[in-house]
Amino acid sequence: MNVPRRLFFAVWPDDALRARLATLATRLQRHCGGRTPVVDNLHLTLGFLGNVPTTEIASLQALTERLTLPAGEWTLDRYGYFHKPRLAWLGGPPTATLNLWHARLGEALAASGRPLPSSHDYQPHVTLLRHAEKAPPSTLEAPEWTWPLTRLTLVESILDGTRPVYRVLAECPATATASRRD
């Protein structure tokens, strides 16, 4: 049976950053309303694939494992709000490393016949609230946190009741950049 499965590419925070993001989401909820995500689901989406036929999953897993990505960092330093889906988020401008990850993923997917949406639409963020009643107030100062970019994952989203459960199907660990010794 070739039942479609909902897939996306994600970067996960380490445990310490995940805990800080969860605490921030709870605090932000007092200002904006809405629903906080499951703590273990906090992530940065690098590319959303949507419904993918089961027969294509093995090739996407292999594509993920073949990618070559350098390690790097991303700084979260601003709140944002997407009006139509009513999402409050924390994000920041894409770094050179994050842009490179997005570009390499896009190139690999395009070569396999499954291109990502245009990169000019890409706003890296972590969703802190769903169904938020309003945007984060402009007077609320965002933290400035560094997120180490250490691995990219191919993830399946499975609806369990009203909340999704995420299952990692494949991963690509980032490689440390070579340092020159003098």
Side-chain angles (χ1 to χ4, degrees):
M1 184 180 254
N2 195 17
V3 177
R5 291 162 58 185
R6 193 171 176 86
L7 305 182
F8 62 97
F9 288 92
V11 183
W12 301 98
D14 61 28
D15 291 340
L17 180 56
R18 180 180 296 112
R20 287 188 285 166
L21 288 165
T23 300
L24 184 64
T26 300
R27 274 190 265 144
L28 190 61
Q29 189 177 35
R30 289 184 287 224
H31 298 281
C32 305
R35 188 180 77 203
T36 60
V38 174
V39 173
D40 288 340
N41 287 357
L42 291 166
H43 69 278
L44 163 64
T45 299
L46 198 65
F48 182 73
L49 297 175
N51 291 327
V52 174
T54 303
T55 55
E56 295 179 27
I57 291 176
S59 65
L60 287 167
Q61 289 171 310
L63 177 148
T64 304
E65 292 165 357
R66 280 192 311 269
L67 286 170
T68 304
L69 303 172
E73 295 180 335
W74 174 51
T75 300
L76 300 101
D77 63 2
R78 64 194 66 168
Y79 291 114
Y81 185 74
F82 295 135
H83 291 277
K84 190 172 182 182
R86 296 177 33 218
L87 299 177
W89 50 266
L90 181 68
T95 60
T97 301
L98 196 54
N99 279 333
L100 181 63
W101 283 31
H102 194 259
R104 285 191 181 165
L105 176 61
E107 290 164 4
L109 287 168
S112 74
R114 187 177 280 282
L116 285 176
S118 173
S119 62
H120 75 273
D121 295 334
Y122 183 59
Q123 170 59 63
H125 68 279
V126 179
T127 299
L128 297 178
L129 296 170
R130 296 188 178 284
H131 309 291
E133 296 160 14
K134 57 187 174 181
S138 58
T139 55
L140 191 61
E141 188 173 332
E144 187 172 321
W145 294 335
T146 301
W147 182 324
L149 302 173
T150 59
R151 71 183 175 116
L152 176 68
T153 58
L154 173 64
V155 180
E156 179 179 13
S157 175
I158 304 163
L159 193 58
D160 181 22
T162 60
R163 300 220 176 195
V165 174
Y166 296 150
R167 185 169 67 114
V168 173
L169 301 177
E171 69 178 57
C172 170
T175 57
T177 54
S179 60
R180 194 177 109 185
R181 294 183 183 216
D182 295 320

